[in-house]
Amino acid sequence: GEDVEQSLFLSVREGDSSVINCTYTDSSSTYLYWYKQEPGAGLQLLTYIFSNMDMKQDQRLTVLLNKKDKHLSLRIADTQTGDSAIYFCAETLPGGYNKLIFGAGTRLAVHP
Amino acid sequence: DAGITQSPRHKVTETGTPVTLRCHQTENHRYMYWYRQDPGHGLRLIHYSYGVKDTDKGEVSDGYSVSRSKTEDFLLTLESATSSQTSVYFCAISVTAGTDTQYFGPGTRLTVL
């Protein structure tokens, strides 16, 4: 069945770039998403990419999509302590109704 | 924030008791979802709704039921709570124009003793 995999933990120094990786299985997904979750809060949509795009940039965020390898990445430039959170990638499930499947989440820790 | 509220925000209950969680939206979106979040598992879909009285099962639906009698409210019921249902529950709605993006409520932390 469909699956989305992420590494569970990433530690970076403040000011460096962070790269969070994700692999997915359903090549028919129309959109792929990145969500951010801060402690005690719900998920907040960070960005998304349409499946016919290779790259999308939004201020400090860059999303790269490699459809051949079913690999999605999120790069955060100039990482700040406020970026410390859990980051989830998600893809649309087949069968309609806008259902999503999420990865387990990557906890990003930013240290001085 | 897409106008989504969840109640209660926190609940402690005992094994075997029924529990109902409520999700309320203010913008008349057709699609609504219930997820649970557990460490190491991300978010897993419990049930979803595609209209009033139209619901279907998700990945982890055993032990849960849902109802949607009005567009704005989506209820999740644990008929007889078990300790394995201790989790954080999130409701979401989907904006169907364009990107099919889901927006999430603030969550309900449920502890079953």
Side-chain angles (χ1 to χ4, degrees), chain B residues 2-79:
Chain B
I4 306 168
T5 58
Q6 293 185 233
S7 59
R9 294 293 315 279
H10 302 271
K11 186 170 182 66
V12 179
T13 191
E14 294 188 349
T15 298
T17 60
V19 176
T20 296
L21 308 183
R22 179 180 183 242
C23 176
H24 179 78
Q25 57 143 331
T26 59
E27 300 183 6
N28 290 323
H29 294 294
R30 180 182 173 192
Y31 296 152
M32 299 183 75
Y33 312 84
W34 277 107
Y35 293 89
R36 61 178 289 173
Q37 183 180 20
D38 304 291
H41 289 280
L43 273 76
R44 292 181 291 175
L45 182 65
I46 305 171
H47 281 278
Y48 64 99
S49 171
Y50 46 96
V52 172
K53 293 185 169 49
D54 292 324
T55 65
D56 206 348
K57 296 178 180 180
E59 177 189 2
V60 290
S61 59
D62 287 348
Y64 302 94
S65 63
V66 290
S67 66
R68 193 169 178 199
S69 59
K70 298 184 290 184
T71 300
E72 59 265 36
D73 289 325
F74 191 30
L75 304 181
L76 176 71
T77 298
L78 292 65
E79 300 289 349

Side-chain angles (χ1 to χ4, degrees), chain A residues 2-5 22-29 32 51 65-72 89-91 101:
Chain A
E2 295 79 18
D3 195 16
V4 177
E5 293 190 353
C22 172
T23 58
Y24 61 96
T25 55
D26 185 4
S27 59
S28 67
S29 293
L32 296 110
S51 59
L65 176 59
N66 181 329
K67 287 196 71 175
K68 174 177 172 290
D69 295 337
K70 297 181 184 175
H71 183 265
L72 182 72
C89 69
E91 63 165 341
I101 181 169

Side-chain angles (χ1 to χ4, degrees), chain A residues 8 30-31 33 35 37 40-45 48 86 88 92-93 95-105, chain B residues 9 30-31 33 35 37 40-43 45 48 50 57 90 94-96 98-107:
Chain A
L8 295 183
T30 306
Y31 292 97
Y33 308 86
Y35 284 85
Q37 185 183 34
L43 275 69
Q44 168 195 354
L45 178 69
Y48 62 90
I86 302 175
F88 294 92
T92 48
L93 280 168
Y97 305 113
N98 301 348
K99 293 181 292 181
L100 299 181
I101 181 169
F102 288 82
Chain B
R9 294 293 315 279
R30 180 182 173 192
Y31 296 152
Y33 312 84
Y35 293 89
Q37 183 180 20
H41 289 280
L43 273 76
L45 182 65
Y48 64 99
Y50 46 96
K57 296 178 180 180
F90 287 100
S94 178
V95 177
T96 55
T99 64
D100 303 336
T101 301
Q102 289 191 15
Y103 294 92
F104 286 80

